[in-house]
Amino acid sequence: MATKTDNKILDTNLLKKLVKYMKPYNTVFIGVLFVVILLALLGAARPYILQQAIDKNIATKTLEGFVPYILLMAGLLFFEVVSQLLFIFYASWLGQTVVKDIRVVLFNHMLRFKMKYYDNSSVGVLITRAITDMERIAAIFGEGLFMIFRDLLTMLVVSGVMVYMNWQLSLIVFLMLPLVLYATRIFQKYMKKAFEEVRTEVSNLNSFVQERVTGMKILQLFTREDTEFKNFVKINERHKKGWLKTVWYNSIFFPIAELSSSITIGLIAWYGGLNAVVDDTATLGDLTAFIMMIPMLFRPLRQIADKFNTLQMGMVAANRVFKVLETTSQIDDTGTQEAANFKGDIQFENVRFSYVEEEEVLKGISLNVTAGDTIAIVGATGAGKSTIINLLNRFYEINEGVIKIDGTDITAFTLASLRQQIAVVLQDVFLFADTILNNITLNNPHITESDVVEAAKAIGIHDFIMTLPGGYHYNVKERGAMLSSGQRQLISFLRAYVTNPSILVLDEATSSVDSYSEQLIQNATDKITKNRTSIVIAHRLATIKKADQIIVMDAGEIVEQGTHSELLKKENGYYRNLYEVQFMKEELA
């Protein structure tokens, strides 16, 4: 629902938030304001000088003093051009600099959001906030706020000069102003609503396109091209209609403003001309100056409305950006201890957790992992296996219970130091559009290329990397598209191993991996889990059999626990049934 603040021409609270980011550049801000004042004075001075030249020289056919008037007007015009240059450059510079600072703060804020925030948020919308909306905010300074202030000040100064020169002619001009002012106010009201609609549709369009491009393989596999094309046409149509509203409002307002200006000039020419001929209450210089100043009075009104469009779009964008900035969805990083070189003892004590309120995913989990052991977690999809990984890294906060490492609650450690000691290899490997080396080091200056090469040789994947063009400097493109799923997983193993973690968490799915890559993955798994506490969401029998302990989960609970041989001895046991259905064929093969 709309609130009272939605109808404000200018949200002062929002402006205060923007001004906070402008404070470091107060000198530039004051300088721009000074130039704005100078422009208003220079603009109003030229018609006055022209009026003096006409009345004192041209009308009287007197040459003396005429040239100084011409030189003075030329000088004023030169200073006005220079002032315009300075104004446009520094107003835009200020806008881009402020936006750069806000964008840095926004991205830093987004980096620390809980995973739950991203679970519930559209990637396309967040991209719009960080990029498109930021450019709209920059326009508040470069094309909006300062421009409006300049135009208002110009109107004020011009009005003063008009009254000083001829109050009767000024009265005619001022009688026409209320019509334009009223039209401007109505225009602003409807344009604000239209731009809010436009921004919503832009976000929807960005989100739709981003998701479909990312999931293009799925669309083509299931032949959904025509369906998604129809959906896109509908969204694009809504986007077009939103913009057409703004075009419609512009097409109504600007002709009204132009017509009002022309009518006013006509009235001045008629009434002023009569006065000049009949009773000399107006001079030829007055008429010329007024005809010159009327556009200077009416055009700013039209420009204010035009710039108000820019300002409104910027304010709507700023409001959305600040909503993200004011979102408190960070993990509480109140720990004071620096985690360093864990022994690797892990305890889950009656841990309860739910992604959605009142829908528990973990229902009082308790388990102990001895330092140096490899724990395999097995169970059906949705049993809660991946959730254990997420909670150990504090991607989410638990509802109840305690998670300890080496006897210390993990909340006592600083978040960064905790995660530095825990390396995770996920089934769904994400690689950036960068070199293999940078994807492994993630631009960590403490990890050298020689460290990476040595680690790759240690886990047996150096030869594979060297077969690629450029070796470690091979660009894998977006999401690692130039590599197979098995190759991407090998890169993720090396990424984890090179950090020398105290604890390793591994989702070692190999269902879509060729036999050669699977063998490399198996060797890499054996190497990086050796003498290191490891929690493995196990998908292969070889890993399960080697595990020091197997945790069997079902519906958010631990239903069985023990070694492979111990669990197979249980008649009608959950693990035994799972083994017979899922793993026996693998063992026989």
Side-chain angles (χ1 to χ4, degrees):
M1 291 180 64
T3 63
K4 291 182 179 179
T5 55
D6 293 332
N7 297 319
K8 288 182 179 179
I9 295 177
L10 201 60
D11 191 331
T12 53
N13 290 329
L14 205 53
L15 273 179
K16 288 177 183 177
K17 295 174 185 177
L18 289 172
V19 166
K20 182 183 73 172
Y21 288 93
M22 199 165 54
K23 284 183 178 179
Y25 313 104
N26 274 343
T27 303
V28 176
F29 176 73
I30 293 169
V32 171
L33 287 181
F34 174 77
V35 173
V36 166
I37 296 170
L38 187 61
L39 281 170
L41 295 174
L42 291 172
R46 284 190 294 109
Y48 178 75
I49 299 300
L50 180 61
Q51 182 255 353
Q52 294 292 309
I54 290 174
D55 288 343
K56 292 182 179 180
N57 296 98
I58 297 176
T60 61
K61 297 182 180 181
T62 302
L63 185 60
E64 185 180 354
F66 183 64
V67 173
Y69 279 127
I70 300 301
L71 293 176
L72 181 58
M73 287 189 65
L76 290 173
L77 187 60
F78 172 77
F79 281 113
E80 190 172 359
V81 169
V82 173
S83 299
Q84 283 278 17
L85 187 151
L86 293 172
F87 169 71
I88 293 171
F89 177 80
Y90 281 104
S92 298
W93 180 90
L94 185 62
Q96 289 297 332
T97 305
V98 168
V99 159
K100 178 210 68 174
D101 293 345
I102 297 175
R103 187 184 280 122
V104 167
V105 173
L106 177 67
F107 189 70
N108 186 50
H109 191 64
M110 289 167 59
L111 284 173
R112 285 157 178 76
F113 277 147
K114 297 177 184 177
M115 288 299 108
K116 186 176 181 179
Y117 179 87
Y118 292 103
D119 294 340
N120 300 322
S121 300
S122 165
V123 174
V125 169
L126 291 175
I127 291 172
T128 300
R129 298 293 173 269
I131 300 175
T132 308
D133 283 343
M134 286 297 178
E135 292 307 316
R136 300 294 184 191
I137 295 173
I140 291 177
F141 299 94
E143 301 172 29
L145 200 58
F146 285 124
M147 291 284 194
I148 291 174
F149 181 63
R150 183 196 66 179
D151 290 342
L152 287 173
L153 193 60
T154 299
M155 289 173 61
L156 182 63
V157 174
V158 167
S159 298
V161 173
M162 281 183 170
V163 173
Y164 174 75
M165 289 173 60
N166 191 311
W167 70 268
Q168 291 173 310
L169 295 182
S170 301
L171 187 61
I172 295 175
V173 176
F174 297 156
L175 285 174
M176 290 297 296
L177 280 179
L179 174 63
V180 183
L181 287 171
Y182 179 73
T184 302
R185 179 67 186 93
I186 297 298
F187 176 72
Q188 291 168 345
K189 179 181 177 181
Y190 283 96
M191 284 301 288
K192 185 175 190 299
K193 293 179 181 178
F195 278 129
E196 286 175 344
E197 182 177 336
V198 166
R199 297 310 306 148
T200 299
E201 295 305 331
V202 167
S203 294
N204 291 340
L205 193 62
N206 284 347
S207 181
F208 183 90
V209 172
Q210 189 272 334
E211 289 180 352
R212 270 60 186 180
V213 171
T214 303
M216 188 60 69
K217 183 182 288 186
I218 298 298
L219 297 184
Q220 294 184 0
L221 279 172
F222 289 90
T223 62
R224 305 302 295 169
E225 296 95 332
D226 292 340
T227 301
E228 293 304 323
F229 174 73
K230 291 176 182 177
N231 291 334
F232 176 79
V233 168
K234 291 177 183 177
I235 293 174
N236 201 35
E237 181 66 20
R238 293 201 303 268
H239 178 260
K240 182 197 76 172
K241 287 180 178 178
W243 272 111
L244 283 180
K245 281 185 181 180
T246 68
V247 174
W248 171 243
Y249 297 146
N250 279 313
S251 66
I252 294 173
F253 172 76
F254 289 113
I256 291 175
E258 196 65 37
L259 181 62
S260 300
S261 177
S262 299
I263 291 173
T264 306
I265 290 175
L267 289 172
I268 289 295
W270 169 72
Y271 183 77
L274 285 177
N275 286 358
V277 173
V278 176
D279 56 14
D280 288 330
T281 56
T283 66
L284 182 61
D286 289 340
L287 287 176
T288 306
F290 267 75
I291 290 172
M292 188 175 178
M293 285 190 290
I294 285 171
M296 295 175 66
L297 191 63
F298 280 77
R299 190 176 297 120
L301 269 180
R302 190 180 70 180
Q303 289 175 343
I304 285 172
D306 191 24
K307 298 307 177 186
F308 184 83
N309 298 347
T310 301
L311 181 61
Q312 289 287 53
M313 291 184 73
M315 295 300 282
V316 170
N319 186 49
R320 296 181 181 218
V321 168
F322 280 111
K323 280 184 179 178
V324 178
L325 281 171
E326 290 163 4
T327 298
T328 53
S329 185
Q330 286 79 18
I331 295 290
D332 292 330
D333 190 9
T334 55
T336 56
Q337 295 186 41
E338 290 292 322
N341 299 320
F342 289 137
K343 289 191 301 179
D345 290 319
I346 301 172
Q347 297 87 36
F348 277 64
E349 298 178 3
N350 194 33
V351 173
R352 294 183 176 274
F353 173 76
S354 57
Y355 293 103
V356 180
E357 194 173 348
E358 297 182 358
E359 292 182 19
E360 280 195 332
V361 178
L362 296 186
K363 304 171 183 177
I365 293 291
S366 294
L367 64 89
N368 291 295
V369 181
T370 304
D373 282 358
T374 296
I375 304 300
I377 304 177
V378 299
T381 301
K385 305 186 298 295
S386 296
T387 301
I388 288 179
I389 294 176
N390 290 331
L391 296 183
L392 187 63
N393 281 277
R394 294 196 67 201
F395 286 139
Y396 300 86
E397 295 282 26
I398 61 178
N399 298 345
E400 293 181 24
V402 179
I403 301 175
K404 296 180 180 179
I405 296 179
D406 293 346
T408 302
D409 190 331
I410 59 173
T411 60
F413 299 111
T414 61
L415 202 56
S417 66
L418 172 69
R419 290 176 178 171
Q420 285 170 359
Q421 293 301 313
I422 304 173
V424 180
V425 179
L426 298 174
Q427 180 180 351
D428 182 19
V429 178
F430 188 94
L431 298 181
F432 297 93
D434 206 336
T435 63
I436 287 179
L437 178 65
N438 288 340
N439 268 289
I440 293 167
T441 65
L442 297 178
N443 296 304
N444 185 338
H446 301 295
I447 302 175
T448 65
E449 184 172 351
S450 59
D451 293 333
V452 173
V453 172
E454 185 180 340
K457 290 178 179 178
I459 64 175
I461 66 171
H462 172 73
D463 293 339
F464 140 66
I465 294 176
M466 294 308 296
T467 62
L468 300 171
Y472 290 89
H473 297 279
Y474 177 64
N475 193 311
V476 300
K477 305 301 180 183
E478 187 174 0
R479 300 182 68 89
M482 303 304 292
L483 302 177
S484 69
S485 57
Q487 290 172 331
R488 289 196 296 270
Q489 197 166 45
L490 287 168
I491 297 301
S492 71
F493 271 86
L494 184 53
R495 178 193 287 169
Y497 183 67
V498 78
T499 62
N500 192 28
S502 301
I503 297 170
L504 178 71
V505 181
L506 173 64
D507 188 340
E508 49 95 72
T510 55
S511 57
S512 59
V513 174
D514 60 86
S515 57
Y516 174 72
S517 295
E518 184 173 0
Q519 184 58 49
L520 288 178
I521 290 172
Q522 178 59 48
N523 294 338
T525 302
D526 293 342
K527 178 67 177 180
I528 68 176
T529 58
K530 187 176 181 181
N531 300 322
R532 180 181 283 114
T533 302
S534 304
I535 299 177
V536 183
I537 297 178
H539 300 265
R540 295 181 299 108
L541 182 61
T543 302
I544 296 170
K545 290 175 72 174
K546 291 178 182 179
D548 298 293
Q549 186 178 179
I550 299 170
I551 306 295
V552 185
M553 296 190 66
D554 181 44
E557 298 179 310
I558 295 177
V559 292
E560 291 179 353
Q561 195 168 339
T563 63
H564 174 68
S565 57
E566 289 172 349
L567 294 175
L568 282 181
K569 293 176 183 177
K570 292 186 178 182
E571 291 290 336
N572 297 318
Y574 189 101
Y575 177 79
R576 181 169 175 171
N577 291 333
L578 185 68
Y579 167 78
E580 291 173 351
V581 172
Q582 186 173 339
F583 298 124
M584 187 174 286
K585 290 181 182 179
E586 182 182 339
E587 187 171 41
L588 291 174

